[in-house]
Amino acid sequence: MSRSETTQIRSERRDAAENRQRILNAAIKLFEQNGVEQVSMNQIASEAQVGPGTLYRRYRNKGELCLDLLKDNVDQLFNDIETYLEQNHSAPSSQRLKGVLSLFIRFRERKAQLLMGVEDSSSINPLRSRMQSPLFNELHQLFVELIDEMSISAQTHFNSTFRADILLMALSRDSYSFQRDVRGYSPEIILEQLCALFIGIK
């Protein structure tokens, strides 16, 4: 590869990095001013002073953009979960699942607006988009593993995939917000009820 080609590639990478940062900065500003739901992708492109094509090449929808904004927080969440599981490796699987749920509910409370954007991405099938996101995929895998352990220790058979699916739906924006804002349940009560329903502990 020639020196000029190398220089061009570096320039393109620098431009892409600058565009990404402009997009993220614009999104944060607009989300803080108007809320995630009220902001369109075109508004973000305009605020970032990039063309819509540039924005959509990097982010197919607002959910992907919100997930990028959440990335460091999501990484920290899973680091916290990993640390918790390592520190409590000898605890019953039901207790460890409760601990993971508690960590996610705290995360959901702190990052509600961006999670809303991830879950409500402008997909033709928002439910499928939500459940196939990296965040929910990794949580689903964790839930399945812990429910499988519960099944073995209880000498019974749980459909771990089904239980994990329903548990994630209970933690999704629509269901969680309904319990929180309409029913008036605190995060602590929601955790207690989920554990009683899905795990059999309080």
Side-chain angles (χ1 to χ4, degrees):
M1 184 181 292
S2 69
R3 181 177 297 178
S4 62
E5 288 173 326
T6 302
T7 302
Q8 183 180 355
I9 289 172
R10 286 175 179 168
S11 177
E12 287 172 353
R13 286 176 180 167
R14 185 173 61 250
D15 289 345
E18 289 172 356
N19 282 339
R20 173 180 176 271
Q21 197 56 54
R22 288 218 304 272
I23 290 166
L24 294 180
N25 290 343
I28 290 171
K29 178 182 176 181
L30 291 172
F31 291 163
E32 288 176 349
Q33 289 175 348
N34 307 296
V36 172
E37 284 184 306
Q38 306 304 319
V39 176
S40 70
M41 291 288 276
N42 284 339
Q43 286 174 301
I44 294 169
S46 177
E47 179 70 28
Q49 297 183 328
V50 300
T54 299
L55 176 61
Y56 279 103
R57 274 194 297 274
R58 180 168 287 277
Y59 304 107
R60 290 176 297 177
N61 52 55
K62 197 162 51 176
E64 289 189 356
L65 199 162
C66 287
L67 194 60
D68 198 6
L69 285 169
L70 271 172
K71 184 179 183 304
D72 290 342
N73 302 102
V74 170
D75 289 346
Q76 186 59 53
L77 168 67
F78 284 108
N79 286 338
D80 291 344
I81 289 174
E82 185 177 349
T83 299
Y84 168 81
L85 292 174
E86 286 174 356
Q87 291 175 346
N88 296 273
H89 63 90
S90 59
S93 48
S94 57
Q95 196 65 43
R96 282 180 283 134
L97 180 52
K98 180 178 181 178
V100 172
L101 288 173
S102 178
L103 288 169
F104 179 71
I105 285 174
R106 283 205 298 252
F107 175 77
R108 152 132 257 147
E109 288 285 322
R110 290 196 309 267
K111 300 297 176 183
Q113 276 282 315
L114 289 178
L115 276 171
M116 183 188 303
V118 171
E119 294 172 341
D120 289 347
S121 61
S122 56
S123 165
I124 294 173
N125 189 333
L127 177 60
R128 175 174 292 184
S129 176
R130 175 190 311 166
M131 299 305 283
Q132 290 179 346
S133 73
L135 170 61
F136 281 87
N137 265 332
E138 195 157 346
L139 276 175
H140 187 273
Q141 184 178 338
L142 270 173
F143 291 166
V144 167
E145 289 172 2
L146 289 167
I147 293 168
D148 277 342
E149 284 187 41
M150 287 169 51
S151 182
I152 293 169
S153 62
Q155 295 185 329
T156 186
H157 176 69
F158 297 141
N159 185 324
S160 54
T161 299
F162 180 82
R163 284 198 174 205
D165 286 342
I166 301 303
L167 184 51
L168 277 174
M169 291 183 73
L171 290 165
S172 69
R173 177 247 178 146
D174 291 343
S175 176
Y176 186 86
S177 296
F178 179 81
Q179 299 300 329
R180 187 84 163 85
D181 302 331
V182 178
R183 296 298 187 206
Y185 296 140
S186 67
E188 293 76 20
I189 291 176
I190 293 173
L191 174 63
E192 177 184 301
Q193 292 301 312
L194 286 175
C195 289
L197 185 61
F198 288 96
I199 309 174
I201 63 173
K202 295 183 179 180

